[in-house]
Short mmCIF file of all heavy atoms in Angstrom, two decimals:
data_model
loop_
_atom_site.label_atom_id
_atom_site.label_comp_id
_atom_site.label_asym_id
_atom_site.label_seq_id
_atom_site.Cartn_x
_atom_site.Cartn_y
_atom_site.Cartn_z
N VAL A 449 -15.43 -11.55 5.84
CA VAL A 449 -15.19 -12.29 4.61
C VAL A 449 -14.00 -13.17 4.83
O VAL A 449 -12.89 -12.63 5.10
CB VAL A 449 -14.93 -11.32 3.39
CG1 VAL A 449 -14.65 -12.09 2.14
CG2 VAL A 449 -16.10 -10.37 3.24
N GLU A 460 -7.89 -10.62 -6.65
CA GLU A 460 -9.05 -11.20 -7.30
C GLU A 460 -10.20 -10.22 -7.37
O GLU A 460 -10.88 -10.05 -8.39
CB GLU A 460 -9.54 -12.47 -6.53
CG GLU A 460 -8.64 -13.68 -6.73
CD GLU A 460 -9.07 -14.81 -5.78
OE1 GLU A 460 -10.25 -14.81 -5.34
OE2 GLU A 460 -8.21 -15.68 -5.54
N THR A 485 7.96 7.60 -16.96
CA THR A 485 7.27 7.24 -18.17
C THR A 485 5.74 7.20 -17.99
O THR A 485 4.98 7.67 -18.81
CB THR A 485 7.78 5.87 -18.73
OG1 THR A 485 9.19 5.94 -18.94
CG2 THR A 485 7.08 5.57 -20.08
N VAL A 512 -1.15 -2.35 -7.28
CA VAL A 512 -1.94 -2.45 -8.51
C VAL A 512 -3.39 -2.58 -8.18
O VAL A 512 -4.24 -1.89 -8.78
CB VAL A 512 -1.38 -3.65 -9.37
CG1 VAL A 512 -2.34 -3.93 -10.53
CG2 VAL A 512 -0.02 -3.27 -9.92
N THR A 557 19.60 -4.15 -14.33
CA THR A 557 20.02 -5.14 -13.34
C THR A 557 19.33 -4.94 -12.00
O THR A 557 19.71 -5.53 -11.02
CB THR A 557 21.54 -5.07 -13.10
OG1 THR A 557 21.95 -3.77 -12.83
CG2 THR A 557 22.29 -5.62 -14.35
N ARG A 566 20.25 -10.51 -16.33
CA ARG A 566 19.42 -9.63 -17.19
C ARG A 566 18.44 -10.42 -18.00
O ARG A 566 17.30 -9.99 -18.29
CB ARG A 566 20.30 -8.82 -18.13
CG ARG A 566 21.03 -7.64 -17.43
CD ARG A 566 21.74 -6.72 -18.41
NE ARG A 566 20.81 -5.88 -19.18
CZ ARG A 566 20.69 -5.85 -20.46
NH1 ARG A 566 21.41 -6.65 -21.22
NH2 ARG A 566 19.85 -5.03 -21.04
N SER A 591 12.69 -0.83 -29.59
CA SER A 591 13.46 -1.55 -30.64
C SER A 591 14.97 -1.45 -30.40
O SER A 591 15.76 -2.14 -31.06
CB SER A 591 13.14 -0.98 -32.02
OG SER A 591 13.53 0.36 -32.16
N ARG A 637 5.63 8.44 -39.29
CA ARG A 637 4.93 8.52 -40.61
C ARG A 637 5.24 9.80 -41.31
O ARG A 637 4.34 10.50 -41.81
CB ARG A 637 3.42 8.31 -40.44
CG ARG A 637 3.04 6.89 -40.02
CD ARG A 637 1.54 6.76 -39.83
NE ARG A 637 1.16 5.43 -39.51
CZ ARG A 637 -0.05 5.03 -39.17
NH1 ARG A 637 -1.03 5.89 -39.11
NH2 ARG A 637 -0.31 3.76 -38.86
N THR A 647 13.06 17.90 -18.58
CA THR A 647 13.69 16.90 -17.72
C THR A 647 15.19 16.89 -17.89
O THR A 647 15.72 17.50 -18.82
CB THR A 647 13.10 15.52 -18.05
OG1 THR A 647 13.23 15.29 -19.52
CG2 THR A 647 11.62 15.40 -17.70
N PHE A 648 15.86 16.22 -16.99
CA PHE A 648 17.30 16.24 -16.92
C PHE A 648 17.94 14.89 -17.30
O PHE A 648 17.63 13.89 -16.64
CB PHE A 648 17.78 16.64 -15.54
CG PHE A 648 17.18 17.97 -15.07
CD1 PHE A 648 15.96 18.00 -14.41
CD2 PHE A 648 17.82 19.21 -15.37
CE1 PHE A 648 15.40 19.20 -14.02
CE2 PHE A 648 17.25 20.39 -14.97
CZ PHE A 648 16.05 20.41 -14.30
N GLN A 688 14.92 15.26 -9.65
CA GLN A 688 14.25 16.50 -9.26
C GLN A 688 15.34 17.54 -8.91
O GLN A 688 16.11 17.26 -7.97
CB GLN A 688 13.30 16.21 -8.10
CG GLN A 688 12.47 17.38 -7.62
CD GLN A 688 11.64 16.96 -6.40
OE1 GLN A 688 11.97 16.03 -5.69
NE2 GLN A 688 10.51 17.66 -6.25
N MET A 716 24.82 14.41 -14.39
CA MET A 716 25.54 15.38 -13.57
C MET A 716 26.80 15.89 -14.31
O MET A 716 27.11 17.08 -14.31
CB MET A 716 25.91 14.72 -12.23
CG MET A 716 26.54 15.65 -11.25
SD MET A 716 27.14 14.75 -9.80
CE MET A 716 27.32 16.09 -8.64
N LYS A 720 26.48 22.02 -16.76
CA LYS A 720 27.58 23.01 -16.77
C LYS A 720 27.28 24.27 -15.95
O LYS A 720 26.12 24.56 -15.65
CB LYS A 720 27.84 23.40 -18.24
CG LYS A 720 28.31 22.28 -19.13
CD LYS A 720 28.35 22.67 -20.57
CE LYS A 720 28.66 21.53 -21.49
NZ LYS A 720 28.66 21.90 -22.91
N LEU A 746 31.08 1.35 -9.62
CA LEU A 746 30.53 2.73 -9.42
C LEU A 746 31.67 3.76 -9.25
O LEU A 746 31.58 4.89 -9.81
CB LEU A 746 29.62 2.71 -8.17
CG LEU A 746 28.88 3.97 -7.82
CD1 LEU A 746 28.00 4.40 -8.97
CD2 LEU A 746 28.01 3.71 -6.56
N LYS A 757 34.29 15.13 -6.36
CA LYS A 757 34.24 14.72 -4.95
C LYS A 757 33.03 13.79 -4.77
O LYS A 757 32.01 14.00 -5.36
CB LYS A 757 34.08 16.00 -4.08
CG LYS A 757 34.19 15.72 -2.52
CD LYS A 757 33.94 16.97 -1.75
CE LYS A 757 35.12 17.97 -1.82
NZ LYS A 757 36.25 17.55 -0.89
N SER A 768 32.74 0.69 -2.72
CA SER A 768 32.89 1.86 -3.64
C SER A 768 34.00 2.79 -3.13
O SER A 768 34.80 3.25 -3.88
CB SER A 768 31.57 2.60 -3.77
OG SER A 768 30.50 1.76 -4.10
N ILE A 788 27.05 13.97 6.93
CA ILE A 788 27.24 14.32 5.50
C ILE A 788 26.79 15.75 5.26
O ILE A 788 27.45 16.58 4.61
CB ILE A 788 26.48 13.34 4.57
CG1 ILE A 788 27.02 11.94 4.73
CG2 ILE A 788 26.50 13.83 3.16
CD1 ILE A 788 26.27 10.88 3.92
N LYS A 811 16.95 6.07 2.15
CA LYS A 811 16.28 7.36 2.48
C LYS A 811 17.27 8.53 2.42
O LYS A 811 17.42 9.33 3.31
CB LYS A 811 15.66 7.30 3.85
CG LYS A 811 14.51 6.27 3.95
CD LYS A 811 13.84 6.28 5.30
CE LYS A 811 12.70 5.28 5.34
NZ LYS A 811 12.04 5.22 6.66
N GLU A 814 16.81 12.37 3.32
CA GLU A 814 16.86 12.96 4.67
C GLU A 814 18.03 13.96 4.78
O GLU A 814 17.99 14.86 5.63
CB GLU A 814 17.06 11.84 5.68
CG GLU A 814 15.79 10.95 5.86
CD GLU A 814 16.05 9.76 6.79
OE1 GLU A 814 17.17 9.60 7.27
OE2 GLU A 814 15.02 9.10 7.10
N LYS A 820 18.64 21.81 5.21
CA LYS A 820 17.68 22.91 5.52
C LYS A 820 17.78 23.29 6.99
O LYS A 820 17.65 24.50 7.31
CB LYS A 820 16.26 22.49 5.18
CG LYS A 820 15.98 22.39 3.71
CD LYS A 820 14.52 21.91 3.49
CE LYS A 820 14.18 21.80 2.01
NZ LYS A 820 12.79 21.25 1.80
#
Side-chain angles (χ1 to χ4, degrees):
V449 178
E460 288 172 20
T485 303
V512 169
T557 52
R566 285 188 74 239
S591 65
R637 291 180 176 172
T647 52
F648 304 89
Q688 184 183 25
M716 186 186 197
K720 299 173 184 175
L746 186 56
K757 187 184 286 283
S768 308
I788 295 176
K811 297 182 179 179
E814 291 176 354
K820 288 179 179 176

